[in-house]
Amino acid sequence: MTPAAPAVRTPSRSVQAVGFVLALLAGAGQAQLPAPVAPPRPAREPGAAPAITETAPARLDAADLAAFVDGAVEAYRRRVGLAGVSVAVVDAQGPLLLRGYGFAGLEPERPVDERSLFRIGSVSKTFTYLQALKLADAGKLRLDAPANDYLPPALRLPEDGYAPVLVWHLMTHTAGFEDSALGHLFAATPQASLPLNDYLQRHRPARVREPGTHAVYSNYSVALLGAVLAQVEGVGFEALLERDLFQPLGMHDSGFREPLDAGDPRSAPAALQALRSAGFARKDGGFESKGFEYIAQIGPAGAVSSSASDMAKYLRMLLNRGRLDGREILPPGVFQRLEDDPLVRNAPDATGFAHGFFRKRYGEVTSLEHGGATLYFHSNLVVLPELGFGVFVSTNTDIGRQFAAELPGLLIERYFARARTPAAAAAPADFAATAQAYAGSYLGERRTYTTFEKMLISSNAEIRVGKDHLVLSANGDSTRWLPEKPDVFRAERGPGRLVFLRDGSGRIGGFVSPGGHDVFDRAGFFDSSQNVLLLLGLSALSAVGVLFGLWQRRRQPRRPGAAVASARWLGLAAAAWLVFAGTFAVAFAQLAGDEALALFHYPTPLLRVALWLALPALLLSLLCLPLLWPAWRSRDWNAWRKLRHTAAVAVFLATGWGLWVWNAVGWKL
């Protein structure tokens, strides 16, 4: 589950589907980042958003709003191809638009309406965050206490050389976990959907940085926060959120429950099945209905299903600081924290977190928002308390990310002058020359560090310099960024900020992603998985050349000696590289060609075999290194053969180092 802005990042389409869930945009060295603000609650920091107010502006023309949204949806459905869309637009007084578009099911075709249930992905996290704030306000949970104080023994984080993880770190993505998704983030069947505590124990990621260093998006952290909340209240997580949020809000169709096996305490009522929208994949000019996406095993991070009608109530409650239709849903202290506590930011001008909610600037105003994605649903929730305006949008199609990301901004730009993107200042005349310091390759820190999954879900980004702007290329998309102040660039349109980070020597060491939830470090040659795959291809070609040369010389008389041994060992290494490269290519093609293998059945048996076959290739290549000396001393070899022999060893060793960096060896799977 991921914010809607970036998506799921890999060489293959099937693994890119996971990129929708993970948000991926090469680090020779990590940038030095300012530490996020600590959890206490002083007065609002300078430059922070003004307090949420209850003053409601004049209501928008609902008919004009409906006509605009109808046109926008129709345009995207025709241009991109969306099966169905669910939209709620509200102000503090009530709904302005509740509408469904397209279809929620095929055979028979069911239209989307305001009660159709869509999967909202990581928007679910906002309910988890608010529940944590409610318990903190009631004195049942201390945000600055170690998470282990509230966890059962089996889930407590082990001593691993890092400082304790605080509850607050889990809410702000600053616990320091690596990221992981393949084979466990989604489940293909109800039987494969583990209980939350079992999942958290079995799939615990390694911690790779000190907690509180900076924010890097983590589904695991929010799932662990859900376990904390359940332990504190002694109630199952799903029942807890129903008791404290969904039922008081009147969101009777919504919740974290899924259609699991009978007897599973997390299972949803059968009556809701008729309301659920299917998820669709765009295929051959039409739509293919896909199976249910089980997320209960990591439910607090993304399992909610909801409708436009129910999400409208949630939006109104947020706009009214915890009250809905005269009833108190959340105590004022919850919203006091959202308003007054300093934002957690990876840099002063970067997008920040208000206890898990993203806080973005739209012109003169600031939002509370969160995006979300599953494999086939893309959602976005944006609340502008200063304007008394909120939007929820969700699509049920795998290619719906762009529409979900863009619709709230289109509405904000159309109806609120204060929230429009101001005109950009002219770039300095020498911009193209001075901005070269930002150009280069970068590797995102939201990745796996300890296993081969790193090669499949890591994301590289490229910064190029234009005449008066920067171009950020990542995930197959390119965007323009205009200079705003030193090391800070704003999106050509919209609320995004691209903030560069300098290391201790004053050089550009990385940047904060526009969403604020990832950091990209300067990348060296081996920090690009594409470069390593190119090296592997070069090794295969070199291996063919080595074996062909041995075959050509098979009948030539040889004098015994170390040079002959060097040639034979190189031949063995070449054969090992060919076997590995061939097996690896087939295993990789399997993952690329079958989405289910990558998402639900990773790692495949063939991939296991392939990565263990890397070991003999690596060891034999290392053995060839000391044998270079006798090869160069041989009088039977001419200089050209010695150079070819050395080049082959160098290519094998370079490839081996690249595979090691990317964990492409058996025991690191």
Side-chain angles (χ1 to χ4, degrees), residues 1 3 6 82 143 162 175 184 239 284 298 300 307 310 515 524 528 538 575 662:
M1 286 67 64
L82 302 176
L143 300 185
Y162 293 107
H184 59 83
D284 298 330
I298 195 168
S307 64
D310 277 1
S528 167
L538 183 58
W662 288 88

Side-chain angles (χ1 to χ4, degrees), residues 33-39 168-169 172 174 211-215 343-347:
L33 305 177
V37 185
W168 178 78
H169 292 137
T172 54
T174 56
T213 303
H214 51 265
L343 300 184
V344 173
R345 294 193 279 208
N346 286 324

Side-chain angles (χ1 to χ4, degrees), residues 276-431:
R276 291 191 183 279
S277 171
F280 297 92
R282 182 72 171 166
K283 185 176 181 181
D284 298 330
F287 300 98
E288 181 179 51
S289 182
K290 309 298 286 189
F292 190 84
E293 305 160 284
Y294 294 95
I295 314 173
Q297 63 278 1
I298 195 168
V304 169
S305 296
S306 192
S307 64
S309 177
D310 277 1
M311 290 302 290
K313 298 172 185 175
Y314 186 48
L315 291 169
R316 290 172 55 211
M317 184 273 290
L318 293 173
L319 288 175
N320 286 291
R321 303 180 76 250
R323 300 185 66 83
L324 180 66
D325 296 331
R327 293 174 289 114
E328 182 178 278
I329 309 299
L330 291 172
V334 169
F335 286 85
Q336 179 111 23
R337 287 181 180 272
L338 290 177
E339 295 170 29
D340 290 348
D341 283 6
L343 300 184
V344 173
R345 294 193 279 208
N346 286 324
D349 291 284
T351 295
F353 293 97
H355 295 290
F357 282 84
F358 286 78
R359 204 89 152 123
K360 295 183 180 178
R361 284 184 288 162
Y362 291 81
E364 300 173 10
V365 300
T366 308
S367 68
L368 288 172
E369 63 183 77
H370 213 294
T374 66
L375 303 177
Y376 308 111
F377 291 83
H378 299 269
S379 306
N380 201 4
L381 176 147
V382 178
V383 175
L384 296 173
E386 297 166 72
L387 302 177
F389 182 76
V391 183
F392 166 77
V393 55
S394 187
T395 71
N396 62 6
T397 314
D398 61 345
I399 57 174
R401 179 183 67 87
Q402 183 181 8
F403 178 72
E406 292 182 357
L407 180 63
L410 292 174
L411 294 174
I412 292 166
E413 287 267 335
R414 176 177 174 83
Y415 291 107
F416 301 100
R418 289 179 57 203
R420 290 172 189 158
T421 304
D430 60 348
F431 174 83

Side-chain angles (χ1 to χ4, degrees), residues 526-598:
F526 288 101
D527 294 313
S528 167
S529 59
Q530 290 187 344
N531 289 342
V532 174
L533 293 176
L534 288 173
L535 278 176
L536 182 58
L538 183 58
S539 287
L541 291 175
S542 299
V544 170
V546 168
L547 294 175
F548 181 72
L550 288 174
W551 182 81
Q552 278 191 318
R553 293 188 294 273
R554 68 191 184 284
R555 295 178 181 172
Q556 294 180 3
R558 303 185 190 88
R559 285 190 250 179
V564 173
S566 181
R568 287 175 176 169
W569 282 109
L570 184 64
L572 288 172
W577 277 110
L578 274 183
V579 171
F580 165 70
T583 309
F584 182 83
V586 174
F588 205 85
Q590 275 189 341
L591 292 174
D594 187 342
E595 182 179 274
L597 283 178

Side-chain angles (χ1 to χ4, degrees), residues 428-478:
D430 60 348
F431 174 83
T434 59
Q436 290 301 324
Y438 305 113
S441 298
Y442 297 81
L443 177 65
E445 291 188 359
R446 189 185 174 199
R447 65 179 187 271
T448 306
Y449 287 69
T450 59
T451 71
F452 174 71
E453 192 178 349
K454 173 182 178 181
M455 183 170 281
L456 300 175
I457 67 170
S458 293
S459 183
N460 287 90
E462 192 77 22
I463 297 288
R464 304 191 312 275
V465 179
K467 180 181 178 182
D468 58 358
H469 61 273
L470 297 183
V471 177
L472 169 62
S473 297
N475 305 320
D477 192 19
S478 293

